[in-house]
Amino acid sequence: MWRVAAASGELDLNSSYMYLVFARDFAETCRVALVDDEVVAFVLGYRRPAIPDRLFVWQVAVDERHRGAGLAGRLLDDLVSAPGDGHAAVAYVETTITDDNTASRRLFASFAGRWGAELETSGLFEAQDFPDRHDAEPLHRIGPFPALARA
Ligand SMILES: CC(C)(COP(=O)(O)OP(=O)(O)OC[C@H]1O[C@@H](n2cnc3c(N)ncnc32)[C@H](O)[C@@H]1OP(=O)(O)O)[C@@H](O)C(=O)NCCC(=O)NCCS
């Protein structure tokens, strides 16, 4: 995941340690796609502790060679349709997307459309909230997902 994120040219790169912690403790809400045993795509998410039926998607990335083939969409679909290890079904997916990230906006709009879910956008992290130079990260909330998503 760290390698794909580093090569993405778009994502804020977290420490390699953080991806390992997520792989251990948040595997239920993360996915990787493998080609020939190599990770070529991932989605990193967690259930919001105070509202566990809301899944926050922190990062999603696909290796450049494999983009445009529906891989990111399949990883998101799997996150909301997989059994949740005893957790409540995912009712909403949240993510933030900078306004200039057309591919990501398209990915989540298309995901919402496939599931017949609403997509609502509102302010969340403004540019001035970041201690370093960073564009605003508006919140995109998708849902509700039908309870039968996991059927
Ligand atoms: C965003 C990203 C994950 C999309 O991955 P992908 O596997 O190519 O996406 P998909 O093939 O599943 O496409 C999903 C939808 O987005 C559209 N899309 C994908 N890339 C696009 C682009 N560059 N411009 C416009 N639309 C695009 C697809 O056409 C598809 O729409 P459709 O369902 O209406 O046909 C990938 O471009 C990427 O890794 N970007 C760099 C990292 C990043 O910006 N991550 C998001 C922020 S965390």
Side-chain angles (χ1 to χ4, degrees):
M1 291 189 278
W2 182 85
R3 287 194 190 95
V4 173
S8 74
E10 277 290 336
L11 297 184
D12 290 344
L13 184 61
N14 298 297
S15 69
S16 51
Y17 186 92
M18 196 225 72
Y19 293 96
L20 287 171
V21 169
F22 259 70
R24 189 179 89 140
D25 286 341
F26 299 93
E28 188 249 322
T29 50
C30 298
R31 294 290 182 276
V32 293
L34 301 175
V35 172
D36 297 332
D37 283 339
E38 185 196 352
V39 173
V40 298
F42 73 89
V43 54
L44 193 72
Y46 64 88
R47 289 173 180 270
R48 290 183 59 198
I51 325 172
D53 68 354
R54 291 206 186 179
L55 178 73
F56 186 79
V57 173
W58 185 346
Q59 291 189 324
V60 50
V62 175
D63 181 286
E64 218 161 2
R65 290 165 298 168
H66 297 278
R67 288 183 192 166
L71 211 43
R74 283 174 59 194
L75 294 179
L76 293 179
D77 287 348
D78 196 64
L79 271 186
V80 294
S81 54
D85 281 353
H87 296 287
V90 172
Y92 290 90
V93 168
E94 297 183 348
T95 195
T96 68
I97 309 175
T98 54
D99 285 343
D100 62 352
N101 196 333
T102 308
S104 188
R105 280 192 290 116
R106 190 61 229 146
L107 167 66
F108 282 94
S110 171
F111 170 60
R114 240 183 351 268
W115 286 90
E118 300 290 317
L119 192 162
E120 272 181 30
T121 308
S122 56
L124 183 61
F125 303 130
E126 304 298 338
Q128 62 268 24
D129 294 330
F130 291 92
D132 50 352
R133 285 175 65 89
H134 202 295
D135 291 333
E137 293 270 1
L139 180 70
H140 294 240
R141 192 188 77 165
I142 297 157
F145 286 87
L148 49 72
R150 290 181 183 160

